[in-house]
Amino acid sequence: MTDNTPLNGVSIHDKETPFLLLNRDKLERNVARLREHTDSFGVPLRPHLKTVKSVEAARLILTEGNGPATVSTLKEAEVFAAAGCKNLIYAVGIAPQKLARVVALLKDGTDISVILDSLEQARAVADYSRQASIAIPALIEIDSDGHRSGVAPGDNLLIEIGRILHHDGAELRGIITHAGESYHCKSLEEHQAMAEKERAAAVACADALRHAGLPSPVVSVGSTPTAHFSKDLTGVTEVRAGVFTLFDLVMTGAGVCQTSDIALSVVATVIGHQREKGWIMIDAGWMAMSRDRGTAAQAVDQRYGIVCDMAGNPLGDLLMVDANQEHGIVALRPGSQQTLPYLPYGSRVRILPNHACATVSQHGEFAVIRDGSEHIEALWPIIHGW
Amino acid sequence: MTDNTPLNGVSIHDKETPFLLLNRDKLERNVARLREHTDSFGVPLRPHLKTVKSVEAARLILTEGNGPATVSTLKEAEVFAAAGCKNLIYAVGIAPQKLARVVALLKDGTDISVILDSLEQARAVADYSRQASIAIPALIEIDSDGHRSGVAPGDNLLIEIGRILHHDGAELRGIITHAGESYHCKSLEEHQAMAEKERAAAVACADALRHAGLPSPVVSVGSTPTAHFSKDLTGVTEVRAGVFTLFDLVMTGAGVCQTSDIALSVVATVIGHQREKGWIMIDAGWMAMSRDRGTAAQAVDQRYGIVCDMAGNPLGDLLMVDANQEHGIVALRPGSQQTLPYLPYGSRVRILPNHACATVSQHGEFAVIRDGSEHIEALWPIIHGW
């Protein structure tokens, strides 16, 4: 799927900036950490590949390199399926027009489930299943936390949707939920409570389906925070998470990881100084970082990111405080008593991003390094589009 | 450079969502409007192509289809030069490592100028010019508004930089400035004052160079607001602007255009309803819109964008109020007394973006339509990377 030939001699000090750097060892440790946690409950992980959007990264993340996995676009589904990942959930409420591509994947041997939360969608999926002579696997999304989509727990709509899917041509697979509100939890106790709320709602809805005589072999839960802080997974058949692979400053602020766990950074070059203002200008702007300012809503606002030296160590209170399209402004955190470090013209820094998913999507490839190495061992293409 | 074969039969109602829609007639009217204004002063326009990032769009924007133009990356410079646009300014402070690509463009017949604001950069450009046996054209960036980069007007650094460039091997072209603070102007008077401040600072610095016996054939000013509101361009040799081509909600909020002038929208499909919350879910999230929330700092916060029907007319107070990666939440503007319109499952909407540059960069291509037409007449690829 890609050229991952070692790039002998290309170092992180030579590749033209801005570029996206991935520490493969950190990624592998992050994956091992969550796998250890979910393995302790005997529940498999179904990683969400919307964060890395890379076949090569997926091979390190997935069990035996090929699944199961979650995707956010049919483009991802098609690329990962072609690379051998044949067990997928497309975790965005299905639009009627997208069913043709879902069926094409199914007929090509990929077990891909769609998700839905309405009678209209259930009818569309059942009708299309009959028309295509293939039972499209479908999960009913439930709303465990008021965050986004899903049937409210306790609403009889769940059973009505289940009946249409099960009796009218589709394949009712079970229940799915995503406690996206977990990103806003502020303590270990809040995280644990959110994980239990997510689990309990999903299991109760699966039980409601079963009590109505409907199948629910799958009970799929997950978000990066709830996946890490769950203390009980009784009744759950799989856990989903995405950003745990790379981590970012939002996850640091939410208490899920340390800054040193973040596997992703953007490498930039110093292009100027506005000394009277205490500004250092760099050649990475929002095009390289994304416009995501997720930490603005947290206790510690990291602006456009924490500025590190080329070994990946934060340079005191230095932040990328503002961004234009291709310019970044680096300065001390507001209120800092530190002295602005001297970063000469042409020197390089690494910026830790607010939100890994958003920053990855701004780039065409990852430049991959190992712990302690300055040599880029591979370039991994990033999937774009829908 | 692209496939712009008419796509017979593909309508905006059929192409799979989300996708980026460009009304070519609006783009052409927006360009004509600013050209008429700058022509009235006899000053040429040097459009900034970082907004459209498209060769086909550039052909409609540039004089006689090939220049002059401004770019924000060397990748843009290389693509536009290959397409015949041979007169460019790379308007981001030059990094030493990027000079090799600049010289390659120069040696290939493209007149590309770099910009800089420090002695270190001037020495690097002069040294590289001698080494490569070609005088690299350079503009000295001045800081007319405290927004970002540039030498402060009145600082003798200007002359020192000019001397290095002029005497040590480069080609001193003159002065460049960008009054980016103009985005925050709140009235016609503020816009006009900012335009005059930008002009006066650039002309004064060019005069300072000339008084020191140095050349300044170019006096380049511009931002979309100052370009539209200038009342005097005496001493200015060219005007730059970028977002004026497509416009967006930030420019509407700044009083530079009307909502109906915005040439860009994202087409999305309704995938669900959370009726108790008054939410309509769509399949365009921040991946399709970008994370840019520029209007959050303006008098009227348009959240992730204004929701329109498929003819491009705003649907009352309907906004895309929140976004996840591939989900958008559509609801009434907070405080609205209107009734949520009924948008059935599978129906489509168009979303006007906060910031055209950011939204364009999230997509691989423009789907191009004409006024009043629902048929996509071309797909124009968008340039990515650096």
Side-chain angles (χ1 to χ4, degrees), chain A residues 14 16 50 94 97-98 101 121 148 271 274 283 291-292 324-326 345 348 362 386, chain B residues 14 16 50 94 97-98 101 121 148 150 271 283 291-292 324-326 345 348 362 386:
Chain A
D14 294 331
E16 201 169 303
K50 78 185 179 81
I94 188 70
Q97 208 191 16
K98 296 195 169 91
R101 285 168 73 189
Q121 286 172 302
R148 187 167 72 192
I271 57 170
Q274 292 291 88
D283 67 352
R291 272 293 198 196
D292 199 295
N324 294 148
Q325 187 159 337
E326 299 291 352
Y345 172 62
R348 292 182 170 211
Q362 300 296 113
W386 291 271
Chain B
D14 293 332
E16 202 168 302
K50 78 184 178 80
I94 188 71
Q97 208 192 13
K98 296 194 168 92
R101 286 169 72 190
Q121 285 172 301
R148 189 167 70 193
I271 57 170
D283 68 352
R291 271 293 198 196
D292 199 297
N324 294 148
Q325 188 158 336
E326 299 290 353
Y345 171 62
R348 293 183 169 210
Q362 300 295 114
W386 292 269

Side-chain angles (χ1 to χ4, degrees), chain A residues 191-211:
Chain A
H191 277 300
Q192 290 173 338
M194 184 64 83
E196 174 55 18
K197 187 175 166 188
E198 184 185 55
R199 183 202 72 80
V203 171
C205 287
D207 286 342
L209 284 179
R210 293 172 191 135
H211 291 156

Side-chain angles (χ1 to χ4, degrees), chain A residues 123 166 218 243 352:
Chain A
R123 288 189 200 108
H166 186 61
V218 173
V243 78
L352 302 179

Side-chain angles (χ1 to χ4, degrees), chain B residues 33 64 98 111 113-114 119 145 154 267 293 304 330 334:
Chain B
R33 174 186 162 199
E64 296 170 11
K98 296 194 168 92
D111 181 354
S113 301
V114 301
L119 296 174
D145 65 343
V267 180
R293 290 274 295 99
Y304 279 90
V330 168

Side-chain angles (χ1 to χ4, degrees), chain A residues 10-20 267 269 283 348, chain B residues 74-75 78 90 97-101 386:
Chain A
V10 177
S11 101
I12 59 174
H13 305 285
D14 294 331
K15 184 173 164 64
E16 201 169 303
T17 56
F19 67 91
L20 190 65
V267 180
T269 299
D283 67 352
R348 292 182 170 211
Chain B
L74 290 178
K75 178 73 173 290
E78 290 159 354
Y90 167 50
Q97 208 192 13
K98 296 194 168 92
L99 287 167
R101 286 169 72 190
W386 292 269

